[in-house]
Amino acid sequence: MQETCSRSFLEHVKQLQALSKEVASLARNSEYEIDMFNEFADIVEKFSPVFDHLKDNDKVMATAPILKAVDSLEKELRRANSLIKSSNSRLVSKQMEDLTQDMGRSLGLVLFASVELELDVKEKIGSLHRELMNARFDKSLSSSPIQTPRPSLESGFVSDFESRKAVEMEEEIQEIVEERISLGIDDVMLQLKHGDDKNLKFALLELRELISAKTVDSEWINEAEIIAVLLNRLGSSKPYNRLIMIQILRNLASENADYKEKMANVGSLSVLVKSLTRDVEEQREAVGLLLDLSDLPAVWRRIGRIQGCIVMLVSMLSGNDPVASHDAGKLLNALSSNTQNALHMAEAGYFKPLVQYLKEGSDMSKILMATALSRMELTDQSRASLGEDGAIEPLVRMFRVGKLEAKLSALNALQNLSLLEENIQRLVISGIVSPLLQLLFSVTSVLMTLREPASAILARIAQSESILVNKDVAQQMLSLLNLCSPTIQYHLLHALNSIAAHSSASNVRRKMKENGAIHLLLPFLMETNANIRAAALNLVCTLSKDVYEELAEQLGDKYLNILVDITLSSTSENEKAAAVGILSNLPVSNKKATELLKKTNLLPSLISAATSSTITKTHSTPWLVESVAGILIRFTDPSDKKLQQYSVQHGVIRLLVKLLSSESVVAKSSASISLAQLSQNSLSLRKSKISKWLCVPPSADAFCEVHDGYCFVKSTFCLVKAGAVSPLIQVLEGKEREADETVLGALASLLQDETWESGSNYLAKLSGTQAIIKVLESGNAKAQEKALWILERIFRIEEHRVKYGESAQVVLIDLAQNGDSRLKPAVAKLLAQLELLQAQSSYF
């Protein structure tokens, strides 16, 4: 039955749409009252999209009341059709006005009965309804032809008949409308107070019409307590009904200041604030209404106290709805005149009001904001926002010129903001470094509480190279180390390490060395405070890279043993890394230091820990892996075969090969150096296959095709038998280029004068040639030089020239034209080998 009704309704609307087009066309083609009929045609053409909406919603529209309303509208359109055809007098303008308003009443009946339609559709129908009701044609009385044709008897009869029908229809509708209003008001109030969701929707739509059409006045609205009724039902109603309620309240608020007062109590505002948490349309209307009400001082004082209000407004400010965002911003601006509201906004992630108070507020307001900022748990994004909004400059000003309380609150706030790297540059630009140092040297008792946050900020600022513009800053900090508390010592040590570690700080490191920085710092290695000890270790490690010649003497046996003890017993990976790093910076030529380290069993302990535990795994401290790899260079010194033997017996080669797969390119590079040092002695240690001393020849597996003899990992340190060649080639095939030079140095050890041919064949066999050519394309000059040396030996063999020459020649020609001039002789030699250049060419 419903489907039949729906099909009937759909057909009915299609017929209506065709009729409206016919009426509009007829009006535009009329020879009489041209202006008036064109205006009428404009109005009628607006029915088409309304009919489209009705067709789209045919399932919910196919009800008896709506069908009756649509029938009424069809009659009016047919009446218009007849009136246009029979128009022969200027008096027709009045008839057209009446007819248009009758069409409006019929459309109003459709609107009234359309309970289930979506709000935007209802608004479009309502808009056309109002236009029809307000249509006036009394000025459209021009452009009539000189001759007015006399209508035929037939057309006159139709006109009289339709006129009578129109009058009857008008009277019928006017009885319907008056009854609807007179009976509707009481029913509306009843449904507003007690109706279920469906009836409430009906009542709200009717109430909106009554208010819009001025059918009810302010006296009735007040007596009926409409505002209180709407606010009372707002919290418990369905979303659609809540939206209409807020729209009605906004309409009332815009008309009458007294209405605003009725909405301004805490209970009403709390209900409205809840709507800020709902869907987009309701949010938009709710924030708009709250903004409308915010011109009442009592409102913005109360809104700020309602839980969740400011958080939601801040969220809407950065939302996707531009209207809601704009209104939320204006409302937040109004609320920010209260300092507590500004603080709540900052806690919600909106900092501009807080920054404004820091810039222009009273002294007490500035202290309040800075103190709150120092205590907030800020995210990096929040710190960035505060820096971008300009919070640092006024805080620095507070520190420099404010009283003690202002200085302390400003420093603590700056310490919080300095945890973000981007803000460090802003601090340096603000000129805060010198005042901080002056404060640290101050002996005024009232300023002592400021020294800890000041030292913490300096430690953060020191991470930027721009601190180096302050000359002697490192020396000033060093001179303070023994004159301050442990907390300040810790921050100063961190700051000094950051300064010394900067790539452009070589002069600073030299001055620190000249002023006895190492001797000053060594006692801190025995500090019971773990944080201070670790910070001192890090700084000594950084400085030891520049003082390695004197390092063993400065450390002495005492501190060498302390460093070994830290390496073997500390539970901190950072401490271990720093201690091993210092030891790895000892000159390899210092045999006394080497013997001392051997006696402590440092090497076996490191190798055991590194191969059997987590040192080389990805979650370990990269610095520790790098430090371990660095110290192994000492224990693989090629000038000391006994030391090499000692190291290999304890498993150093297995660890070195493992380090080639480390994520640290520094560790890969150090491991390659050690492997190269070991490989340098492999040829002299190999067992010749024709040796008369071999009573029982080794197994065939022990024969080495590179060294042309019998090789063993533990006795000849052979890279081939250690399985190190493929991992070395894989490093060259990777994206990182920093280890190329040392890796090529290890591979080059296989191509010594006695082994160049077998070594070349072995590298080609493992597809190493292409990886070496890759270094020519993107490596640095020193790596390219080693690669050219290796390729020259490989290309002595015709088979390899044929196989790899073509891929190499393109790179070589480019290198000849654009490469380092120091490489040109080696490039020319290779091009001659590939017969691309005569050996005697003067090109180079």
Side-chain angles (χ1 to χ4, degrees):
M1 177 68 182
Q2 177 66 33
E3 289 183 5
T4 305
C5 191
S6 175
R7 283 197 298 273
S8 174
F9 175 78
L10 196 60
E11 292 168 0
H12 210 150
V13 175
K14 287 180 180 177
Q15 188 175 353
L16 264 180
Q17 202 162 23
L19 180 58
S20 66
K21 289 179 181 177
E22 180 184 343
V23 169
S25 175
L26 191 63
R28 290 207 185 279
N29 293 322
S30 175
E31 298 179 7
Y32 312 101
E33 310 294 353
I34 295 172
D35 289 346
M36 179 188 72
F37 281 133
N38 277 335
E39 286 182 33
F40 181 71
D42 289 340
I43 294 175
V44 173
E45 285 172 347
K46 293 178 182 179
F47 275 104
S48 186
V50 170
F51 292 148
D52 286 336
H53 287 305
L54 295 181
K55 287 191 293 184
D56 292 342
N57 294 274
D58 61 300
K59 291 185 179 179
V60 298
M61 297 294 289
T63 64
I66 293 177
L67 281 169
K68 185 175 180 180
V70 168
D71 282 337
S72 173
L73 185 57
E74 182 181 357
K75 290 176 182 177
E76 300 302 339
L77 283 169
R78 294 195 181 281
R79 180 179 159 208
N81 192 319
S82 299
L83 186 59
I84 294 167
K85 289 178 179 178
S86 64
S87 59
N88 58 2
S89 167
R90 291 174 181 260
L91 295 177
V92 78
S93 62
K94 174 58 177 168
Q95 293 175 279
M96 290 301 296
E97 254 181 36
D98 294 342
L99 185 145
T100 304
Q101 290 174 9
D102 289 344
M103 290 168 62
R105 293 186 183 96
S106 298
L107 188 61
L109 292 176
V110 175
L111 180 63
F112 184 76
S114 304
V115 177
E116 299 295 333
L117 268 185
E118 293 180 1
L119 181 61
D120 60 333
V121 177
K122 280 180 164 291
E123 287 178 348
K124 290 173 183 176
I125 297 175
S127 176
L128 180 56
H129 166 245
R130 288 190 291 275
E131 185 174 353
L132 290 164
M133 296 303 295
N134 295 324
R136 297 291 183 271
F137 299 110
D138 53 342
K139 295 182 180 179
S140 304
L141 301 174
S142 59
S143 303
S144 298
I146 297 174
Q147 295 182 348
T148 304
R150 189 180 299 275
S152 65
L153 289 175
E154 182 181 355
S155 64
F157 173 79
V158 171
S159 177
D160 289 342
F161 174 77
E162 291 293 344
S163 295
R164 287 197 300 273
K165 291 294 291 180
V167 171
E168 291 173 5
M169 185 62 189
E170 181 180 356
E171 290 174 353
E172 181 182 347
I173 292 172
Q174 192 67 30
E175 284 171 9
I176 291 174
V177 173
E178 287 175 356
E179 181 181 3
R180 173 183 164 199
I181 293 174
S182 62
L183 296 178
I185 289 178
D186 291 337
D187 190 47
V188 163
M189 280 310 306
L190 180 65
Q191 298 301 334
L192 285 177
K193 291 179 179 178
H194 308 294
D196 59 19
D197 288 315
K198 185 174 182 179
N199 289 323
L200 175 61
K201 182 194 294 187
F202 177 88
L204 286 169
L205 291 170
E206 181 61 17
L207 175 64
R208 186 169 63 181
E209 283 295 319
L210 293 172
I211 293 172
S212 176
K214 308 290 185 186
T215 305
V216 293
D217 55 19
S218 58
E219 183 178 353
W220 179 84
I221 290 171
N222 288 328
E223 287 179 359
E225 298 182 329
I226 291 296
I227 291 173
V229 169
L230 292 176
L231 289 168
N232 183 54
R233 296 212 63 176
L234 183 60
S236 60
S237 296
K238 296 288 185 182
Y240 180 83
N241 289 339
R242 290 198 304 266
L243 184 61
I244 302 175
M245 289 178 191
I246 299 173
Q247 289 172 337
I248 293 171
L249 290 169
R250 287 195 73 181
N251 188 11
L252 293 172
S254 66
E255 291 183 359
N256 192 320
D258 292 338
Y259 292 157
K260 288 186 179 181
E261 294 286 351
K262 294 179 184 296
M263 303 177 201
N265 62 74
V266 175
S268 300
L269 294 173
S270 297
V271 172
L272 290 173
V273 165
K274 287 182 180 179
S275 288
L276 297 179
T277 66
R278 294 181 171 130
D279 62 47
V280 175
E281 283 188 297
E282 188 172 342
Q283 278 186 342
R284 185 192 308 142
E285 295 296 335
V287 73
L289 177 53
L290 289 171
L291 179 60
D292 294 340
L293 300 177
S294 67
D295 56 1
L296 301 175
V299 169
W300 56 256
R301 283 198 300 270
R302 291 166 184 164
I303 290 177
R305 299 192 192 106
I306 299 173
Q307 187 175 6
C309 177
I310 286 177
V311 173
M312 282 307 305
L313 290 173
V314 171
S315 176
M316 293 170 69
L317 182 66
S318 56
N320 297 324
D321 187 330
V323 176
S325 175
H326 173 268
D327 288 352
K330 292 187 70 174
L331 185 52
L332 286 168
N333 186 55
L335 295 176
S336 67
S337 57
N338 179 286
T339 55
Q340 288 301 316
N341 287 343
L343 290 175
H344 289 321
M345 292 174 198
E347 289 167 355
Y350 179 55
F351 299 103
K352 287 185 178 178
L354 179 146
V355 174
Q356 199 61 32
Y357 274 107
L358 287 175
K359 291 178 178 178
E360 301 175 359
S362 65
D363 289 346
M364 285 308 300
S365 294
K366 290 178 180 178
I367 292 172
L368 177 66
M369 297 299 156
T371 302
L373 199 53
S374 68
R375 295 172 180 170
M376 286 182 189
E377 294 185 6
L378 299 173
T379 63
D380 283 349
Q381 185 177 357
S382 297
R383 292 187 181 97
S385 295
L386 282 159
E388 291 163 4
D389 290 344
I392 289 175
E393 292 78 5
L395 286 170
V396 172
R397 197 179 312 118
M398 284 176 67
F399 161 62
R400 299 182 74 167
V401 303
K403 295 180 181 178
L404 181 62
E405 189 179 5
K407 287 179 183 292
L408 182 59
S409 61
L411 276 181
N412 287 329
L414 287 169
Q415 183 179 352
N416 198 348
L417 294 180
S418 71
L419 296 177
L420 180 73
E421 188 175 349
E422 288 88 335
N423 286 336
I424 293 174
Q425 188 64 26
R426 296 184 175 103
L427 281 166
V428 175
I429 293 171
S430 73
I432 198 175
V433 175
S434 294
L436 288 175
L437 286 169
Q438 290 171 11
L439 174 61
L440 290 176
F441 278 104
S442 174
V443 292
T444 308
S445 58
V446 294
L447 297 178
M448 297 301 282
T449 55
L450 304 177
R451 298 177 78 196
E452 288 191 6
S455 63
I457 294 170
L458 269 177
R460 292 295 303 169
I461 292 176
Q463 295 179 16
S464 169
E465 288 203 29
S466 55
I467 195 174
L468 297 176
V469 302
N470 298 78
K471 294 182 179 179
D472 298 324
V473 64
Q475 300 308 317
Q476 293 179 61
M477 290 185 190
L478 276 173
S479 66
L480 283 166
L481 275 177
N482 291 319
L483 304 173
C484 52
S485 68
T487 301
I488 297 174
Q489 285 178 334
Y490 170 72
H491 290 312
L492 289 178
L493 287 167
H494 260 297
L496 285 164
N497 188 48
S498 295
I499 292 171
H502 290 312
S503 58
S504 58
S506 57
N507 287 335
V508 174
R509 292 192 293 271
R510 178 177 53 79
K511 285 186 178 181
M512 291 175 75
K513 179 186 75 169
E514 291 171 355
N515 289 317
I518 298 289
H519 283 298
L520 178 67
L521 293 167
L522 287 177
F524 287 102
L525 302 190
M526 297 182 290
E527 174 65 55
T528 56
N529 184 311
N531 290 330
I532 293 177
R533 185 175 64 248
L537 277 165
N538 290 340
L539 179 53
V540 172
C541 184
T542 301
L543 293 175
S544 68
K545 297 171 185 176
D546 284 308
V547 298
Y548 63 92
E549 288 297 342
E550 307 93 345
L551 185 59
E553 182 181 343
Q554 290 182 333
L555 291 174
D557 292 356
K558 176 183 176 181
Y559 287 106
L560 278 174
N561 282 309
I562 289 173
L563 289 169
V564 171
D565 185 58
I566 291 171
T567 301
L568 299 178
S569 61
S570 176
T571 57
S572 165
E573 287 195 348
N574 279 325
E575 275 195 17
K576 284 185 177 183
V580 177
I582 296 169
L583 294 174
S584 69
N585 288 332
L586 288 166
V588 172
S589 59
N590 191 312
K591 303 301 180 183
K592 181 183 175 182
T594 302
E595 285 303 313
L596 188 148
L597 294 177
K598 277 184 69 176
K599 287 179 182 178
T600 63
N601 284 321
L602 174 68
L603 182 68
S605 299
L606 282 178
I607 293 175
S608 175
T611 53
S612 63
S613 69
T614 61
I615 283 184
T616 55
K617 292 186 179 178
T618 55
H619 63 269
S620 290
T621 306
W623 187 22
L624 177 55
V625 177
E626 293 166 6
S627 297
V628 170
I631 203 170
L632 295 180
I633 295 173
R634 164 180 295 278
F635 290 97
T636 55
D637 180 6
S639 67
D640 191 340
K641 291 182 180 178
K642 286 186 178 180
L643 181 62
Q644 286 189 330
Q645 188 71 49
Y646 166 81
S647 302
V648 172
Q649 290 298 323
H650 284 96
V652 73
I653 291 183
R654 184 165 57 136
L655 174 57
L656 291 171
V657 174
K658 187 175 183 181
L659 287 170
L660 291 175
S661 300
S662 165
E663 289 190 352
S664 167
V665 69
V666 174
K668 292 175 184 176
S669 183
S670 296
S672 300
I673 293 172
S674 291
L675 288 168
Q677 292 183 160
L678 290 166
S679 182
Q680 286 177 36
N681 291 321
S682 293
L683 186 63
S684 63
L685 293 172
R686 59 144 187 209
K687 301 294 186 291
S688 172
K689 63 181 179 180
I690 58 172
S691 174
K692 62 183 178 180
W693 302 107
L694 292 175
C695 298
V696 181
S699 68
D701 291 342
F703 183 76
C704 175
E705 58 188 283
V706 172
H707 296 117
D708 193 29
Y710 295 102
C711 287
F712 307 89
V713 174
K714 288 190 176 182
S715 59
T716 65
F717 325 141
C718 176
L719 298 188
V720 177
K721 294 303 177 182
V725 180
S726 288
L728 286 166
I729 292 171
Q730 287 172 10
V731 175
L732 298 181
E733 291 172 339
K735 295 180 180 179
E736 297 168 320
R737 304 269 61 88
E738 292 86 345
D740 285 350
E741 184 184 353
T742 57
V743 169
L744 290 169
L747 295 177
S749 68
L750 301 176
L751 282 77
Q752 298 177 43
D753 290 342
E754 299 90 337
T755 60
W756 70 264
E757 186 172 4
S758 57
S760 297
N761 288 330
Y762 188 72
L763 287 180
K765 175 183 173 181
L766 296 183
S767 303
T769 309
Q770 201 62 48
I772 296 167
I773 293 172
K774 180 181 178 181
V775 175
L776 290 181
E777 294 182 78
S778 52
N780 60 40
K782 288 186 177 180
Q784 288 174 330
E785 186 177 13
K786 286 187 181 294
L788 289 168
W789 185 90
I790 294 174
L791 286 174
E792 187 276 329
R793 299 208 159 199
I794 292 175
F795 285 164
R796 290 176 186 177
I797 301 170
E798 183 179 2
E799 179 187 350
H800 304 327
R801 287 200 305 273
V802 172
K803 187 172 182 180
Y804 299 106
E806 187 174 348
S807 61
Q809 69 181 35
V810 177
V811 182
L812 289 168
I813 291 170
D814 181 66
L815 203 58
Q817 295 173 343
N818 305 309
D820 192 302
S821 59
R822 291 171 294 181
L823 302 176
K824 287 190 175 181
V827 173
K829 193 171 184 180
L830 271 175
L831 289 172
Q833 275 183 302
L834 298 175
E835 299 181 350
L836 296 172
L837 192 68
Q838 291 182 355
Q840 298 81 15
S841 173
S842 59
Y843 179 79
F844 297 104

